[in-house]
């Protein structure tokens, strides 16, 4: 989840800190929700996470803080429908610590050549 989201939520009157919404990792300066599926995020010296989708807020988010869900839904007609982070799978494990640099590798956009019919 982007750490910038917490500042936005604080401005809206919600006392929410890193880890409160169930996220495992927070980042700074990355537009995670705008990155394509398959993007690899390298964390620490060896860990690699592959982005697999957007996190979808459920009813439990309003049980945590009443009214919070509407602040993580996007009203924009373009862009991601949710603003509560992304899901990913671990492709390579390793130690990750606060302050580690996150390096982004976007998926390739190569096309497969198909045989002529």
């Amino acid at each position: 989840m982007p750490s910038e989201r917490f500042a936005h939520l604080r401005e809206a009157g919600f006392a929410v800190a890193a880890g409160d919404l169930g996220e495992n990792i927070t980042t700074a300066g990355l537009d995670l929700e705008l990155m394509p599926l398959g993007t690899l995020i390298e964390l620490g010296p060896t860990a690699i996470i592959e982005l697999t989708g957007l996190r979808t807020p459920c009813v439990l988010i309003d049980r945590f803080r009443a009214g919070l869900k509407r602040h993580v839904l996007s009203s924009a007609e373009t862009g991601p429908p949710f603003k509560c982070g992304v899901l990913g799978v671990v492709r390579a494990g390793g130690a990750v610590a606060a302050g580690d640099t996150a390096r982004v590798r976007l998926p390739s956009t190569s096309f497969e050549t198909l045989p002529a019919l």
Side-chain angles (χ1 to χ4, degrees):
M1 172 159 323
S3 61
E4 295 86 357
R5 186 75 57 235
F6 299 113
H8 168 75
L9 293 173
R10 278 191 296 279
E11 290 171 8
F14 295 95
V16 180
D20 285 347
L21 300 179
E23 73 283 356
N24 294 308
I25 296 174
T26 57
T27 62
L30 298 177
D31 289 327
L32 294 171
E33 289 107 346
L34 298 178
M35 292 181 183
L37 299 180
T39 296
L40 299 177
I41 308 290
E42 299 176 0
L43 300 168
T46 61
I48 300 174
I49 309 298
E50 179 181 349
L51 301 186
T52 58
L54 293 174
R55 286 184 69 197
T56 306
C58 69
V59 68
L60 296 178
I61 199 168
D62 274 341
R63 290 183 190 159
F64 175 67
R65 298 279 191 273
L68 183 58
K69 185 174 179 180
R70 70 182 175 93
H71 287 279
V72 294
L73 298 176
S74 177
S75 59
E77 291 188 24
T78 59
F82 311 116
K83 301 179 290 184
C84 55
V86 294
L87 300 171
V89 294
V90 175
R91 292 296 179 205
V96 177
D100 280 350
T101 299
R103 296 165 307 283
V104 175
R105 288 194 295 171
L106 296 174
S108 68
T109 56
S110 61
F111 293 96
E112 182 179 336
T113 303
L114 299 175
L117 297 177

